[in-house]
Amino acid sequence: MGAALAWGVVAASSLVIGMLLGLARSWPSRLIGIVLAFGAGALVSAVSFELFQEGVDVGGAPAVGIGLAAGAIVYFVLARLVERIGPGGESGGGTALALGAFLDGIPEQLVLGIGIAAGQGVSIGLLAAIFVSNLPEAVGSATDMREAGTSKRQIRLLWLAVAGFCALATPLGYFLAQETGGHFQALINGFAAGALLVMLVDSMIPEASEKSGRVAGLATVLGFALAAGLSTATA
């Protein structure tokens, strides 16, 4: 349990790092887009090798399929609610990004804990994908909120809360894996995969393309290649 918490903190720390970077200075939109694209590629690899395939291996395709549908629907519905928050307030866009990071961070880190409980150790591919994809979300949110006039203290408190809940999801995944069987673990894997796929197509990839142009495709492939290589090397 202690190891799960420690790795959860490592994964969630990128949210805090991104927030601090966003508060420190303004970053070129093109650079953020390239990092977003790279992170998207890493997440595609994580969905393919770390979530879907491993879920099928431990609990079977039906459980993964049910989780996949549930994760996609839940993320879609909650993301629509987040969109309503975005346009309304002075820092709504930044708040929406923070909530988006929370929505996809929880299932990702649950899966980290499940992997540790199953004796598979830490998935370096999934850890890298989480870390890289969190950074641009946090940078973009902190930048938007700072430019909208939100105090630095409020921004820090918001992102520390998001990072804290995401970190705690890893030992929660460890505990659930200890108390349940392979079918439940496969369900969680599928849920995380479904939520991530909707997030990637709905927001992350389009935003990366908008900010960085055609180079987004190359950055996405590089992110996929790196994460897939790490996943294969540590299998």
Side-chain angles (χ1 to χ4, degrees):
M1 183 71 79
L5 178 59
W7 283 111
V9 170
V10 170
S13 67
S14 58
L15 293 169
V16 179
I17 293 170
M19 174 267 291
L20 293 174
L21 289 172
L23 291 179
R25 54 162 291 182
S26 296
W27 297 91
S29 178
R30 183 176 176 83
L31 177 60
I32 292 177
I34 291 173
V35 177
L36 272 172
F38 188 88
L43 286 176
V44 171
S45 172
V47 168
S48 303
F49 299 110
E50 307 289 345
L51 298 178
F52 187 85
Q53 187 58 54
E54 288 187 8
V56 171
D57 291 342
V58 300
V64 175
I66 293 171
L68 196 73
I73 293 170
V74 168
Y75 185 87
F76 179 84
V77 172
L78 292 179
R80 300 290 81 78
L81 295 176
V82 169
E83 282 181 359
R84 295 182 182 179
I85 297 174
E90 61 172 0
S91 59
T95 305
L97 280 173
L99 290 176
F102 177 81
L103 292 179
D104 50 66
I106 294 296
E108 288 171 350
Q109 299 209 186
L110 279 172
V111 173
L112 270 183
I114 289 173
I116 295 171
Q120 300 168 356
V122 177
S123 168
I124 300 300
L126 180 59
L127 183 65
I130 294 172
F131 201 93
V132 173
S133 62
N134 281 344
L135 278 173
E137 286 183 295
V139 170
S141 171
T143 300
D144 287 350
M145 295 178 76
R146 176 171 55 82
E147 292 176 350
T150 305
S151 71
K152 290 186 177 182
R153 181 176 180 274
Q154 287 179 302
I155 297 171
R156 291 192 192 101
L157 288 175
L158 172 64
W159 277 100
L160 285 172
V162 171
F165 279 113
C166 288
L168 290 174
T170 304
L172 176 60
Y174 181 94
F175 172 78
L176 291 174
Q178 297 281 67
E179 300 297 322
T180 58
H183 292 300
F184 180 80
Q185 296 173 33
L187 193 72
I188 294 296
N189 275 48
F191 186 94
L196 285 175
L197 284 173
V198 175
M199 183 274 293
L200 284 167
V201 177
D202 196 33
S203 59
M204 196 167 182
I205 292 175
E207 185 175 353
S209 298
E210 179 183 348
K211 290 181 181 296
S212 61
R214 292 186 175 181
V215 74
L218 291 174
T220 301
V221 173
L222 289 174
F224 179 91
L226 176 62
L230 289 172
S231 178
T232 303
T234 57

